[in-house]
Amino acid sequence: MSHHPPHSPTAQHLIFLRGFGAKNIIILLPTIITRSQWGARAPRNRVPLSTPVPYVIIYHTAGSSCISQASCSQLVRSIQNYHMDSNGWADIGYNFLIGEDSRVYEGRGWSTVGLLGTFSSRVPSAAALNIAQDLIQCAVNMGSRSSSYILKGHHNVKATESPGEALYNVITQWPRFQA
C-alpha cells in the first residue's frame, strides 16, 4: 500500500480483493479513468504482457499538459490518434498516462507510465508524481510488476529526450532507479 496521502479530497480509490489461500489482500489504486471514459478507439490488436514485468519506464508525452478530466481526456485521445494514424501503431503507445488533474488514464495496461506534458525544464505536480509512485506499487501488489523491478527513464533505453531532464532528475531519486 502507498505511503502517500490521498491526492485530493475528491480522489476515489478502487479497491480490489484477491484471494490468496485463507487470506485476502486489499489493493488500493489511484483514480483510473478507463479507456471508455476518455473515449479511446478500439485497438487494432492486443498482445498480452508477460508478467510480472521486470521494468518500469517513465516517459513524458512531449506536448501539452492538462489539469482537468476533460482536457486530459482530449489530450489522451489526440495522442492515441497520432500513434495510430501517423505512426501506424496498433494502439496508444503508453500503458498508463498521468495528468496533472491527479488522475491516471488507462492506455494499454501495466508496462509503461507516461506523464502528460513536457518536463524538460519543470517537474510535474507533486500529486502527479505521487500517483506515478502509487501506480507502480499497485502493479507490484497485483503481481503484474516484479517486486524487484528496475526503474528507468525513457532515455535510458532509447535515444530520446523523454522523460525530460527535470522529471528525470526526480525519478533518479525514486526507489529501484538504475540508469
Side-chain angles (χ1 to χ4, degrees):
M1 259 197 292
S2 170
H3 61 279
H4 301 292
H7 307 296
S8 73
T10 59
Q12 296 179 350
H13 292 79
L14 303 176
I15 300 174
F16 291 88
L17 298 175
R18 295 175 45 160
F20 289 90
K23 65 179 182 172
N24 286 327
I25 295 176
I26 298 173
I27 299 171
L28 298 177
L29 293 175
T31 300
I32 296 177
I33 305 303
T34 65
R35 291 175 61 91
S36 64
Q37 288 175 308
W38 61 259
R41 294 164 52 182
R44 292 188 184 111
N45 64 39
R46 280 196 183 255
V47 176
L49 292 172
S50 176
T51 58
V53 176
Y55 294 98
V56 174
I57 311 296
I58 302 291
Y59 293 72
H60 71 183
T61 59
S64 302
S65 57
C66 55
I67 58 170
S68 71
Q69 185 174 341
S71 65
C72 289
S73 294
Q74 171 58 41
L75 184 54
V76 174
R77 282 191 303 274
S78 70
I79 291 168
Q80 184 189 39
N81 289 338
Y82 177 77
H83 286 176
M84 292 177 77
D85 298 339
S86 297
N87 293 353
W89 298 351
D91 198 0
I92 193 167
Y94 303 106
N95 294 67
F96 288 98
L97 299 99
I98 299 170
E100 291 187 279
D101 65 340
S102 300
R103 293 178 181 90
V104 176
Y105 293 81
E106 177 187 19
R108 291 181 175 216
W110 291 98
S111 179
T112 60
V113 178
L115 281 90
L116 293 164
T118 300
F119 300 107
S120 299
S121 60
R122 74 171 187 93
V123 297
S125 68
L129 294 171
N130 287 340
I131 288 169
Q133 291 179 300
D134 289 350
L135 187 64
I136 293 166
Q137 187 58 52
C138 288
V140 170
N141 292 349
M142 293 172 55
S144 62
R145 170 97 44 242
S146 170
S147 60
S148 59
Y149 72 87
I150 296 170
L151 175 70
K152 293 187 173 288
H154 188 196
H155 71 242
N156 292 125
V157 297
K158 183 179 180 186
T160 178
E161 291 186 23
S162 179
E165 202 58 36
L167 177 53
Y168 185 79
N169 289 337
V170 171
I171 67 169
T172 62
Q173 304 305 306
W174 289 3
R176 313 209 56 77
F177 177 84
Q178 290 183 21

